[in-house]
């Protein structure tokens, strides 16, 4: 059996250990760690104490930022997957991710993420917001794009026609439809590829409902003309009541 000892035992009888000590065996190989593998054991006479790496805290260095470790090959500390900074507050350790990175260990990105030379990040192709996925679970975090109205796709890379900006908010389909698979699905009362067409006499009620032809007729979506409900109403928008006397 090969023996891998990351650190050592202490004392005259080699029976003393530093806090955060653990001994285990994996695939026939024996592993011994101390200070929870997040620090170095310092001996002062019979006193054994842990000197934690920059990303850990506590007597046994067990409170450590996720995605953080000491790289034995390059002999350097890796904090938060090298994509964030570890923040230590008392006994708490958590990652503060750089722009464009997410998750407890800063190892997750959203689709359509690009980085500028100055380190700023553009997420979701610049047309959405990066949000936690509903399928995320502790330790298995994932993030998805919540697209701005008018854009669609996993990375918000697709767009619908009729992009407009109203009160500083960008939306597609002229604000009169939903964007699905780069096509507009128009709300009731609106027609056309960009949902920019309607029949005359389109009214919006106090409850937000829409009425076409002033509520006195039906709209032909092909010709965008009104057919009035009865002879009491006439005109292009079915707004005039009663036929004029002859």
């Amino acid at each position: 059996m090969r023996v891998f000892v990351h650190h050592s035992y202490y004392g005259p009888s080699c029976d003393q250990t530093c806090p955060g000590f653990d001994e285990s065996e994996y695939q026939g190989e024996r592993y011994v760690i101390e200070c929870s593998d997040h620090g170095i054991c310092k001996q002062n006479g019979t006193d054994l104490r842990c000197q934690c790496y920059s990303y850990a805290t506590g007597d046994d260095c067990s409170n450590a930022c996720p995605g953080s470790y000491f790289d034995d090959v390059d002999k350097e500390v890796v904090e938060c997957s090298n994509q964030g900074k570890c923040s230590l507050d008392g006994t708490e350790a958590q990652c503060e991710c750089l722009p464009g990175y997410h998750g407890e260990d800063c190892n997750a990105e959203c689709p359509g993420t690009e980085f500028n030379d100055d380190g700023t990040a553009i997420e979701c192709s610049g047309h959405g917001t990066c949000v936690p996925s509903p399928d995320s679970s502790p330790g298995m975090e994932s993030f998805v794009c919540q697209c701005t109205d008018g854009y669609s796709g996993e990375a918000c890379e697709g767009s619908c026609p009729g992009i407009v900006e109203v009160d500083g908010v960008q939306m597609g389909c002229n604000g009169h439809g939903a964007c699905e698979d780069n096509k507009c699905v128009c709300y009731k009362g609106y027609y056309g590829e960009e949902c920019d067409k309607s029949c005359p006499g389109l009214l919006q009620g106090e409850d937000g409902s829409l009425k076409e032809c002033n509520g006195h007729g039906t709209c032909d979506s092909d010709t965008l003309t009104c057919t009035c409900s009865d002879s009491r109403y006439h005109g292009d928008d079915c707004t005039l009541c009663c036929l004029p006397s002859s």
Side-chain angles (χ1 to χ4, degrees):
M1 177 186 295
R2 298 176 62 191
V3 177
F4 288 80
V5 180
H6 292 183
H7 303 284
S8 189
Y9 294 87
Y10 304 87
S13 302
C14 296
D15 58 353
Q16 296 177 351
T17 59
C18 234
F21 172 87
D22 183 59
E23 184 175 4
S24 60
E25 184 177 315
Y26 179 70
Q27 295 184 347
E29 296 177 346
R30 178 166 156 263
Y31 292 85
V32 177
I33 65 171
E34 55 191 359
C35 301
S36 307
D37 210 21
H38 298 310
I40 301 172
C41 186
K42 293 294 185 179
Q43 182 179 19
N44 184 9
T46 59
D47 184 31
L48 298 173
R49 295 189 179 185
C50 288
Q51 179 180 303
C52 301
Y53 296 131
S54 60
Y55 60 82
T57 185
D59 292 340
D60 58 357
C61 304
S62 60
N63 294 311
C65 273
S68 304
Y69 57 93
F70 182 80
D71 189 331
D72 288 320
V73 176
D74 294 331
K75 303 301 180 185
E76 63 181 15
V77 168
V78 174
E79 286 189 12
C80 303
S81 308
N82 264 346
Q83 293 161 170
K85 192 71 176 175
C86 182
S87 175
L88 300 176
D89 183 11
T91 59
E92 296 295 324
Q94 59 184 8
C95 290
E96 296 178 354
C97 300
L98 294 173
Y101 297 102
H102 303 272
E104 289 185 356
D105 59 358
C106 302
N107 201 31
E109 297 179 29
C110 249
T113 298
E114 297 181 355
F115 296 92
N116 295 323
D117 293 338
D118 61 359
T120 57
I122 299 175
E123 300 179 298
C124 304
S125 307
H127 303 307
T129 304
C130 189
V131 298
S133 169
D135 299 327
S136 287
S137 58
M140 296 289 291
E141 293 176 296
S142 60
F143 292 78
V144 296
C145 288
Q146 189 175 75
C147 300
T148 303
D149 192 13
Y151 294 90
S152 61
E154 182 182 355
C156 304
E157 72 280 10
S159 63
C160 269
I163 301 293
V164 295
E165 187 171 306
V166 179
D167 296 330
V169 178
Q170 199 173 56
M171 57 184 67
C173 307
N174 285 283
H176 303 315
C179 184
E180 297 181 8
D181 297 327
N182 302 338
K183 293 182 180 180
C184 289
V185 179
C186 300
Y187 301 143
K188 181 181 178 181
Y190 294 96
Y191 307 93
E193 291 185 359
E194 300 183 12
C195 303
D196 58 341
K197 298 178 174 60
S198 62
C199 261
L202 185 64
L203 299 177
Q204 184 171 2
E206 293 182 357
D207 60 354
S209 62
L210 289 175
K211 296 181 179 180
E212 300 176 285
C213 306
N214 283 290
H216 303 310
T218 57
C219 177
D220 186 320
S221 60
D222 293 326
T223 61
L224 296 179
T225 56
C226 290
T227 300
C228 300
S229 56
D230 57 53
S231 58
R232 292 178 299 165
Y233 301 97
H234 62 101
D236 291 343
D237 58 0
C238 300
T239 189
L240 299 176
C241 176
C242 306
L243 290 171
S245 58
S246 58

